[in-house]
Amino acid sequence: MSVPLLKIGAVLSTMAMVTNWMSQTLPSLVGLNGTVSRAGSSEKITLFQSPEEGWQLYTSAQAPDGKCVCTAVIPAQSTCSRDGRSRELRQLMEKVQNVSQSMEVLELRTYRDLQYVRSMETLMRSLDARLRAADGSLSAKSFQELKDRMTELLPLSSVLEQYKTDTRTIVRLREEVRNLSGSLATIQEEMGAFGYEDLQQRVMALEARLHACAQKLGCGKLTGVSNPITIRAMGSRFGSWMTDTMAPSADSRVWYMDGYYKGRRVLEFRTLGDFIKGQNFIQHLLPQPWAGTGHVVYNGSLFYNKYQSNVVVKYHFRSRSVLVQRSLPGAGYNNTFPYSWGGFSDMDFMVDESGLWAVYTTNQNAGNIVVSRLDPHSLEVMRSWDTGYPKRSAGEAFMICGVLYVTNSHLAGAKVYFAYFTNTSSYEYTDVPFHNQYSHISMLDYNPRERALYTWNNGHQVLYNVTLFHVISTAGDP
């Protein structure tokens, strides 16, 4: 009789584990203990969170007479990921489905074993009847053997009753699992928690439409800078980091250059996510060291100022070679005309919607900022503008749509203070708030592909979104 007892014990143990999971684990997972929001609650379900999953404000637009207002909001490239609550809900539904399947298997086994239990029960009753009917027809020895056998089976009686009770429990639990699956499906529908693949396709379609909208809007005037989004804290107090402004949207490589002079080591990370985690990168060793932090990556090449010279170097990453280098006529170098923070920042290279620019100054311009449009292939100066703004009084600068924007300080309290328009050779003083979170900016560049500002702020790599003012011509307008 030991083998049947062991078999029944194993089944009871399995049932006990399922019962324990149902009674203890499920409530906390589905929110029966009060952790899941229900319809009518004030809890907000957010599919994209900042900074890693943040919605990026691309631009806003309106005509001077108020005819048209257009705001394009788009999730940051390659940062869309599953919402935590939706992911947990999906995982929970998968667990419930697995438990339901396990319950079906267990029920089949239970039905089979129940037949065995019933036959055992019939045997026990038969033995009990024979024992009661024994009236001396059995020998003393046989009667004692039968009595001992019956005594051996007596504990099985209570086990059989418990087994039948637990069988009924399995049926009830199966019904509860079915009800729970329905409740979870309802919660999923109320949350709008579509499958990740479906959600990803929806977001990609929306992203494409918003990118197209942003491209139609074209250029505009800077009217706002968002709060900073800290991507990572890495490296020394000074440095630069950037993405390729001409790369396709699927290319999200990040280049990282620590320090402001005599450096030669450039790290290339495969994606922004890898940059955040500090993994999956390759190293480039430049043939000439750099000066300052005003480097830029444009169409697969790095443009930088060669240390202790006014030479512009174009280094091609794929071939790991210098394609061209050329002196910038009259440009100051070696801390002759840096920004207010110093750091050999005499020459600052930028890229906007219209191409490659160099920002620097010369003795002939009395230390005022000069903006030059460069040919990205030959590095020749195509045209120059004297802005009249003293470079040593500028904290940093960046180009958007052919307009040079200058901050009045590299320290806390900075704002975008000055704008020079190359298309009209005119300027104006501005007052655009700019939150300098870490109090020491040593690199500030605009990326036209993402319409965001890349910043190195006291060892922190930071992004800012920008808002641009547009004049939009509608059909029939002159």
Side-chain angles (χ1 to χ4, degrees), residues 160-394:
L160 294 179
E161 288 301 320
Q162 182 63 46
Y163 191 93
K164 288 189 288 184
T165 300
D166 288 340
T167 301
R168 291 190 294 271
T169 300
I170 287 179
V171 175
R172 189 180 69 254
L173 289 178
R174 183 186 62 176
E175 186 63 26
E176 290 182 5
V177 169
R178 184 181 294 111
N179 294 336
L180 180 59
S181 297
S183 299
L184 289 175
T186 302
I187 292 174
Q188 185 182 42
E189 183 177 355
E190 291 177 355
M191 288 177 59
F194 301 98
Y196 173 58
E197 292 77 13
D198 180 39
L199 178 61
Q200 187 180 43
Q201 291 299 319
R202 291 167 181 256
V203 170
M204 289 176 64
L206 175 61
E207 185 182 48
R209 291 175 61 188
L210 291 177
H211 268 297
C213 174
Q215 293 304 316
K216 288 180 181 179
L217 288 175
C219 283
K221 180 180 178 182
L222 179 70
T223 58
V225 177
S226 75
N227 285 327
I229 301 172
T230 301
I231 301 301
R232 188 178 182 188
M234 175 183 179
S236 63
R237 191 177 189 185
F238 314 97
S240 59
W241 70 294
M242 65 218 81
T243 58
D244 191 339
T245 61
M246 287 289 287
S249 58
D251 185 348
S252 59
R253 287 177 294 170
V254 174
W255 285 269
Y256 170 90
M257 302 167 68
D258 190 13
Y260 65 90
Y261 77 109
K262 294 170 57 174
R264 296 175 57 198
R265 183 169 173 257
V266 182
L267 301 186
E268 177 186 315
F269 292 84
R270 187 180 61 182
T271 65
L272 179 62
D274 288 336
F275 174 69
I276 293 172
K277 297 173 184 177
Q279 64 184 23
N280 296 327
F281 64 87
I282 60 176
Q283 176 177 290
H284 300 271
L285 195 63
L286 302 177
Q288 297 103 349
W290 71 69
T293 59
H295 332 297
V296 68
V297 175
Y298 181 63
N299 200 22
S301 294
L302 173 71
F303 296 82
Y304 70 96
N305 175 210
K306 180 181 176 181
Y307 179 59
Q308 290 188 328
S309 74
N310 62 1
V311 172
V312 186
V313 179
K314 178 181 179 181
Y315 176 83
H316 189 241
F317 285 114
R318 184 181 296 274
S319 64
R320 294 179 178 263
S321 63
V322 173
L323 298 184
V324 63
Q325 53 183 333
R326 181 184 296 273
S327 294
L328 199 57
Y333 62 93
N334 207 28
N335 264 343
T336 303
F337 297 114
Y339 289 124
S340 59
W341 64 272
F344 296 87
S345 57
D346 303 77
M347 298 169 63
D348 192 0
F349 301 103
M350 308 172 183
V351 171
D352 71 352
E353 290 80 358
S354 55
L356 178 66
W357 302 83
V359 171
Y360 57 101
T361 192
T362 67
N363 287 320
Q364 290 78 7
N365 292 93
N368 293 331
I369 292 178
V370 174
V371 180
S372 290
R373 179 82 180 274
L374 301 184
D375 183 324
H377 303 289
S378 66
L379 299 181
E380 292 181 352
V381 174
M382 300 167 65
R383 185 178 174 184
S384 295
W385 293 262
D386 182 353
T387 66
Y389 193 94
K391 191 166 185 290
R392 284 183 173 274
S393 298

Side-chain angles (χ1 to χ4, degrees), residues 427-452:
Y427 69 89
E428 69 179 22
Y429 289 94
T430 61
D431 187 13
V432 179
F434 183 83
H435 182 40
N436 187 344
Q437 184 172 1
Y438 302 107
S439 303
H440 197 289
I441 291 177
S442 59
M443 170 256 175
L444 178 59
D445 260 338
Y446 171 70
N447 187 308
R449 184 184 72 171
E450 300 167 8
R451 299 203 173 181

Side-chain angles (χ1 to χ4, degrees), residues 53-120:
E53 300 176 68
W55 283 85
Q56 179 178 348
L57 175 64
Y58 251 117
T59 183
S60 64
Q62 66 179 30
D65 58 1
K67 277 188 178 180
C68 178
V69 176
C70 178
T71 300
V73 181
I74 192 166
Q77 185 70 26
S78 302
T79 61
C80 171
S81 64
R82 294 164 70 172
D83 169 62
R85 190 171 297 279
S86 300
R87 181 173 60 250
E88 290 176 4
L89 179 60
R90 178 169 177 169
Q91 291 174 348
L92 177 57
M93 293 190 71
E94 291 174 353
K95 288 182 179 180
V96 172
Q97 184 179 8
N98 291 337
V99 170
S100 179
Q101 293 173 350
S102 299
M103 293 286 287
E104 291 179 5
V105 174
L106 183 58
E107 188 176 16
L108 290 175
R109 291 176 53 191
T110 302
Y111 178 79
R112 181 193 61 198
D113 294 337
L114 186 58
Q115 304 307 312
Y116 177 80
V117 168
R118 285 172 177 166
S119 66
M120 290 297 300

